[in-house]
Amino acid sequence: MSIPRNWRTRQQRYSLKAEVCNTCNKHIFPPRDVCPHCAAEKQSWTNLSGQGEVFSYTTMYNAPAGFEEYAPYTMALVKLAEGPMVTAQLTDVDAQDVKIGMPVEMVTRKLSQEGEEGQILYGYKFRPMLREAA
Amino acid sequence: MRDVVIIGVGQTRVEEHWGKSLRHMAHDAVMAAMKDAGIETADALYVGNMLSGELGGQEHVGALVADFIGLRGIEAMKVEAACASGAAALRVGMFAVASGIHDVVMVCGVEKMTDAVGDEVTSGLATAADQEYEVSQGISFVGLNALLMRRYMHQFDVKHEHFAGFAVNAHKNGANNPNAMFQSPIKAETYLRASMIADPINLMDSSPVCDGAACVILAPADGYRARAKAHILASAVATDSLAIHDRRDPLTLDAVALSSQKAYAQARITPTDVDLFEVHDAFTIMAALSLEAAGFAPRGRGVCMAVDNEIGIEGRLPISTMGGLKSRGHPVGATGVYQIVEVVAQLTGQAGKNQVQGARIGMAQNIGGSGATVITHILGGV
Amino acid sequence: MLKPAHDVGIVGYGAYVPRFRLPASEVARVWTDGTGGLPIKEKAVAGLDEDTLTMSVEAARNALARAQIDVTQIRAVWVGSESHPYAVKPTSTIVAEAIGAAPFTQAADLEFACKAGSEAIVMGMGIVGSQMGRYVLAIGMDTAQGRPGDALEYTAASGGAAFIVGPAEESVAVYEAALSHVTDTPDFWRRAYSHYPSHGHRFTGEPAYFEHVVSAGQELMQELGTQPSDYKYVVLHQPNTKFPQRAAQILGFQPEQLKTGLLVPVIGNTYAGSSLIGLTAVLDEAQPGDRILMVSFGSGAGSDAFSIRVTDKLNEVRDRAPRTQDYIARRKLIDYATYVRYRHKLQMN
């Protein structure tokens, strides 16, 4: 990811910084200029709880360029408690233990790095609820 | 608006063309189509292509191909809509002819994927998805389809093996297509044993990485009626969010539904009038979801069509009649034009062993990304 | 003795331990044919997507969950570590951004071998105690690396803790005083661009660890006029199991006082996080009025000693975030080969 793009989206990636629509009150993530639910243009910043559940998942055996060192890893569609869905990796869980409907919580982890000398990209991933895993 | 007809078609075999560049493959397809149409030149060339810049470092392929085929000077440009680039180029060509701006227009879909290595192709294909919120997380295009397939299996209580019929049908038809990448049938067991790419999607659920070029020549019906091979009865595009996570319902391809409905209305037909359907079966799950959204199966039941008496050449709705994306191959930006060439073959009785008897109306649907751009064309025989 | 003008304390605390555990017996299997004693049972190992930054963020979020303060009132974010992800580019600004403390805050990365975390706390006491700022986030976190086959490989672990230092009246535990003790003692170091540290073997004991830990602890108690029996708990830097046990004994503490905060047998030596995470385990159990003596140690060398008294607020906040033992209980054993992959010891190109 380019340096400006990484910088521009950091709050979304580190902490799921989201919006709530001033017109229909629905949560919006990632942020948009126009509400996808009611087409209104005014939104306010909000924080999401980071809680959600697995809507679907897959284990990636053939990783795209930049992710080879992490393969195999599990990707998921996570339905967040506030409504939006995100595509994200699951972490701290073995692939065979993942289930649709499993409650998960957001953590900030390393997504990728540009070699040994380039920037490190951090972002959201999801894991099983810590206290249930313990 | 003028009615538009197809007066010539051409294609190269889909394969790993190690010895040919993008320009050579485009040349072969365009020349074959010009010969088929009996023309020496054309007013314009629209090139459907997705990855020339990403994988080959080469953009500006409109002028490149126009010059290389000896038509330096004509209007030419590239049209891009991810894997739907081929059908998008056809639609641009149709605009030109229907509007009266041009008379004879060439539409060439071409893709050169094998100049890049595996993970570069994986990343290149992922440019069709949302870079900031899907791809940056580590998902590939196969992975996105795997998320859909897993959810589909869960929600509709379907097993992976139920999708086998799509791959078996595609390979059965590809076996009789000399231009197909894979020309041998497979058994259901082959499907079940295939190696995993992103579970539940295995190698036999997926279309291959390959090279290819196909071309069609368009002209106005008035003046070219005698040379027409097929009429374009409908051309419709619809869009959806790039990212699956932004969809209203990930398991409903809204853009397929919208694009199909628009096309049926333009052609003044209903789904039952369609004699064959070149479906965008880049993955078996896309075949199932497309059949549902296009109105051929109820929600959650598209996979039930993966049997011979439904989708086989003599079935209720023959699909992927020349092998589809799975067996003919999916040279991404070229696929939409291959589909049109194949529908024309069916409507002109040139489909050989795969001929759908009495085919009068054929539909081709080309999908960009995981369903964000859907372009439907309906052709009628002459 | 270091005593701020205004009383300060811990407003919130949070720990982090990664999920993976490498048994010391695995290191012995590969390097000594399984012979010889083991300094600990197992150590915590960061996963492929974890580093000092990601672990700091989670510990900080736990501390914030307990503190329930206005995060924009944090006036400094300090991360002490010997394994910052970047040699140049602060870990602390990323933490500040991730928790919402940016932009109007101080931020810096600290390094003092295993003492960098307690260093951040002492500095935080200065900011808050002088009323320059209301809160300071002080973190000690590491993904420590030992050279393959070296004695340190058995123990060099990943983990640490975060503390929000704030006014005493908001605190779950109050700092009665601190004391720092440093000398130029070359027991352990890592040169720039080196992957692994070097050390003076047995020299790391008497003149380094024991001299600094014991002197700092004794001096603080003497200046405060306290005795070991005044403390319910003692938490010491824990590079292995034996060192803190012996240092506690020399200082005059009983094994029961050391036990709760002695985590090294089950998570290893988390370097800058070591004494700090021990303190979190103690706070998870301590009751109002309990006193705690904590002494860190960093090679090179120095110790920070703290005398801490638990307030009534601790019981209110404790369960707002996972306890340290929750993290310790969440464990997946890995073998040496997986450890080699996770800790980037494979030459990939």
Side-chain angles (χ1 to χ4, degrees):
Chain A
M1 190 179 271
S2 77
I3 291 168
R5 185 187 253 177
N6 176 10
W7 170 77
R8 209 163 49 226
T9 54
R10 66 194 184 282
Q11 292 188 330
Q12 279 67 51
R13 282 185 294 101
Y14 296 165
S15 52
L16 292 173
K17 191 83 174 172
E19 291 171 328
V20 63
C21 176
N22 290 354
T23 306
C24 73
N25 292 318
K26 288 200 166 125
H27 285 82
I28 304 167
F29 185 88
R32 286 169 172 256
D33 293 338
V34 177
C35 174
H37 306 289
C38 74
E41 291 205 20
K42 289 271 186 235
Q43 285 99 40
S44 309
W45 289 109
T46 189
N47 293 309
L48 299 177
S49 65
Q51 317 265 308
E53 64 172 54
V54 173
F55 181 85
S56 191
Y57 64 95
T58 180
T59 301
M60 303 277 299
Y61 295 96
N62 287 34
F67 292 89
E68 299 93 333
E69 64 179 291
Y70 306 101
Y73 53 89
T74 301
M75 297 290 321
L77 286 170
V78 174
K79 182 82 175 157
L80 299 172
E82 293 84 357
M85 184 118 75
V86 293
T87 304
Q89 283 185 38
L90 300 184
T91 189
D92 288 353
V93 63
D94 297 337
Q96 66 269 18
D97 295 334
V98 180
K99 299 276 182 293
I100 287 176
M102 183 171 90
V104 290
E105 59 190 356
M106 188 273 275
V107 290
T108 304
R109 292 292 173 92
K110 203 158 102 176
L111 290 178
S112 59
Q113 58 182 357
E114 292 164 1
E116 288 297 307
E117 296 187 353
Q119 62 174 348
I120 303 168
L121 193 70
Y122 296 102
Y124 50 83
K125 294 189 182 182
F126 290 80
R127 69 162 177 218
M129 307 300 284
L130 181 93
R131 283 186 170 176
E132 287 171 26
Chain B
M1 271 242 314
R2 303 193 291 179
D3 284 339
V4 180
V5 296
I6 293 169
I7 61 168
V9 297
Q11 61 183 315
T12 65
R13 182 180 167 185
V14 178
E15 57 185 320
E16 294 169 305
H17 282 284
W18 303 116
K20 288 189 176 174
S21 297
L22 179 145
R23 62 188 78 178
H24 292 106
M25 294 190 300
H27 165 269
D28 293 354
V30 173
M31 285 303 148
M34 289 175 79
K35 191 176 166 201
D36 189 44
I39 59 169
E40 298 288 321
T41 187
D43 299 321
L45 167 71
Y46 300 110
V47 178
N49 173 271
M50 175 182 176
L51 295 171
S52 67
E54 186 72 18
L55 299 186
Q58 180 69 66
E59 287 295 6
H60 210 176
V61 295
L64 178 84
V65 173
D67 174 47
F68 196 73
I69 61 176
L71 292 178
R72 192 180 294 181
I74 66 163
E75 173 178 332
M77 66 180 91
K78 165 171 161 170
V79 181
E80 189 276 324
C83 303
S85 299
L90 173 63
R91 186 159 164 79
V92 170
M94 218 195 74
F95 289 161
V97 175
S99 65
I101 289 174
H102 292 311
D103 279 338
V104 178
V105 164
M106 305 187 294
V107 175
C108 176
V110 58
E111 203 71 70
K112 179 72 195 169
M113 302 175 79
T114 60
D115 275 359
V117 297
D119 59 354
E120 290 172 6
V121 177
T122 303
S123 297
L125 290 169
T127 61
D130 185 327
Q131 287 292 315
E132 287 185 0
Y133 291 100
E134 286 182 317
V135 179
S136 65
Q137 305 298 317
I139 194 84
S140 68
F141 206 62
V142 185
L144 288 168
N145 281 276
L147 292 172
L148 292 178
M149 191 168 183
R150 167 93 63 201
R151 182 69 196 188
Y152 187 96
M153 289 162 58
H154 169 84
Q155 195 158 326
F156 302 122
D157 197 18
V158 170
K159 290 191 164 55
H160 183 248
E161 65 205 52
H162 294 149
F163 290 87
F166 288 124
V168 170
N169 176 66
H171 276 262
K172 184 179 174 187
N173 294 342
N176 297 322
N177 176 4
N179 290 305
M181 176 153 182
F182 300 122
Q183 299 183 10
S184 50
I186 61 161
K187 293 188 171 125
E189 299 88 81
T190 313
Y191 172 88
L192 297 174
R193 282 200 312 267
S195 58
M196 203 56 83
I197 306 173
D199 68 328
I201 289 188
N202 71 27
L203 209 55
M204 285 294 147
D205 287 302
S206 318
S207 50
V209 169
C210 50
D211 307 322
C215 181
V216 299
I217 315 275
L218 307 181
D222 289 342
Y224 290 85
R225 205 170 297 277
R227 293 156 70 179
K229 293 174 182 293
H231 290 264
I232 299 180
L233 302 179
S235 171
V237 185
T239 56
D240 201 342
S241 67
L242 243 64
I244 290 173
H245 58 236
D246 286 334
R247 302 262 166 88
R248 181 184 63 83
D249 166 17
L251 292 186
T252 302
L253 296 177
D254 281 342
V256 165
L258 196 55
S259 166
S260 303
Q261 285 156 14
K262 282 195 215 174
Y264 297 142
Q266 284 175 28
R268 297 195 181 86
I269 62 166
T270 66
T272 52
D273 297 321
V274 175
D275 295 317
L276 66 121
F277 180 27
E278 291 305 327
V279 67
H280 191 93
D281 56 346
F283 299 93
T284 51
I285 180 65
M286 285 311 270
L289 293 176
S290 295
L291 288 168
E292 293 172 17
F296 297 109
R299 179 175 156 79
R301 306 283 291 171
V303 68
C304 303
M305 288 183 71
V307 289
D308 216 31
N309 61 8
E310 288 280 352
I311 58 171
I313 292 297
E314 293 177 359
R316 179 169 69 94
L317 177 73
I319 69 168
S320 309
T321 66
M322 301 306 280
L325 281 62
K326 173 72 197 81
S327 181
R328 172 239 297 132
H330 183 27
V332 286
T335 290
V337 183
Y338 273 99
Q339 290 178 317
I340 298 299
V341 169
E342 290 161 358
V343 172
V344 169
Q346 289 288 1
L347 298 180
T348 53
Q350 305 289 306
K353 288 182 181 167
N354 293 351
Q355 182 64 46
V356 175
Q357 293 307 318
R360 296 286 307 154
I361 292 176
M363 178 157 121
Q365 195 166 68
N366 197 193
I367 300 182
S370 54
T373 299
V374 180
I375 308 181
T376 308
H377 283 99
I378 297 175
L379 307 187
V382 294
Chain C
M1 191 165 73
L2 301 163
K3 196 155 169 40
H6 301 272
D7 287 344
V8 305
I10 298 165
V11 175
Y13 68 95
Y16 186 75
V17 182
R19 174 178 178 236
F20 302 104
R21 301 285 181 278
L22 178 71
S25 58
E26 266 295 288
V27 182
R29 177 179 69 83
V30 172
W31 289 105
T32 69
D33 212 8
T35 62
L38 302 176
I40 59 169
K41 175 171 169 264
E42 60 195 29
K43 68 171 183 175
V45 179
L48 281 169
D49 62 357
E50 295 185 291
D51 61 21
T52 291
L53 177 273
T54 67
M55 300 195 302
S56 294
V57 169
E58 181 153 347
R61 285 183 177 140
N62 285 336
L64 281 168
R66 289 199 171 96
Q68 294 192 351
I69 56 163
D70 175 1
V71 71
T72 64
Q73 293 300 309
I74 291 175
R75 285 290 163 270
V77 175
W78 287 319
V79 183
S81 181
E82 62 115 84
S83 48
H84 290 288
Y86 290 90
V88 178
K89 183 185 183 302
T91 307
S92 51
T93 54
I94 312 177
V95 173
E97 192 83 63
I99 63 169
F104 299 113
T105 182
Q106 233 285 323
D109 291 1
L110 307 178
E111 187 280 317
F112 190 149
C114 298
K115 190 170 94 72
S118 62
E119 200 76 53
I121 291 174
V122 174
M123 289 165 61
M125 291 169 69
I127 290 271
V128 178
S130 65
Q131 296 189 335
M132 276 175 69
R134 192 164 186 86
Y135 306 110
V136 168
L137 174 60
I139 299 173
M141 192 67 66
D142 258 309
T143 54
Q145 297 266 30
R147 190 184 306 277
D150 187 84
L152 292 180
E153 192 176 38
Y154 291 86
T155 54
S158 304
F163 291 86
I164 294 167
V165 179
E169 59 272 21
E170 297 177 34
S171 295
V172 301
V174 173
Y175 286 111
E176 296 176 316
L179 181 137
S180 294
H181 169 92
V182 302
T183 66
D184 175 10
T185 303
D187 58 321
F188 167 105
W189 61 88
R190 177 162 62 82
R191 297 280 298 275
Y193 311 115
S194 297
H195 278 295
Y196 300 112
S198 305
H199 57 85
H201 300 275
R202 287 186 58 76
F203 184 73
T204 59
E206 287 305 332
Y209 180 84
F210 292 103
E211 161 60 23
H212 293 80
V213 169
V214 172
S215 296
Q218 282 174 341
E219 181 67 20
L220 180 63
M221 285 193 284
Q222 190 181 327
E223 294 192 27
L224 278 173
T226 55
Q227 307 284 329
S229 56
D230 295 332
Y231 295 93
K232 179 81 185 289
Y233 303 99
V234 60
V235 180
L236 304 179
H237 175 60
Q238 35 204 278
N240 52 45
T241 310
K242 282 182 186 160
F243 276 28
Q245 284 174 335
R246 194 167 144 230
Q249 190 182 14
I250 295 168
L251 280 165
F253 287 91
Q254 299 300 313
E256 292 71 37
Q257 291 165 286
L258 182 69
K259 195 176 68 179
T260 307
L262 189 67
L263 306 181
V264 65
V266 288
I267 65 168
N269 177 9
T270 57
Y271 283 52
S274 179
S275 51
L276 274 64
I277 195 169
L279 178 60
T280 65
V282 166
L283 291 174
D284 280 342
E285 292 196 5
Q287 290 304 314
D290 287 349
R291 290 169 97 178
I292 304 160
L293 182 76
M294 172 183 141
V295 188
S296 68
F297 171 73
S299 291
S303 283
D304 298 319
F306 303 85
S307 183
I308 302 164
R309 184 193 292 273
V310 173
T311 75
D312 296 343
K313 290 198 168 61
L314 180 58
N315 286 331
E316 285 171 41
V317 312
R318 184 176 283 139
D319 288 322
R320 291 176 184 165
R323 296 188 189 202
T324 305
Q325 290 294 345
D326 292 336
Y327 283 103
I328 293 172
R330 179 190 72 146
R331 58 193 271 283
K332 179 179 168 68
L333 287 176
I334 56 173
D335 62 10
Y336 194 84
T338 305
Y339 164 73
V340 163
R341 181 180 174 197
Y342 284 2
R343 296 317 299 146
H344 309 290
K345 293 172 198 293
L346 281 171
Q347 185 72 39
M348 301 290 278
N349 44 35

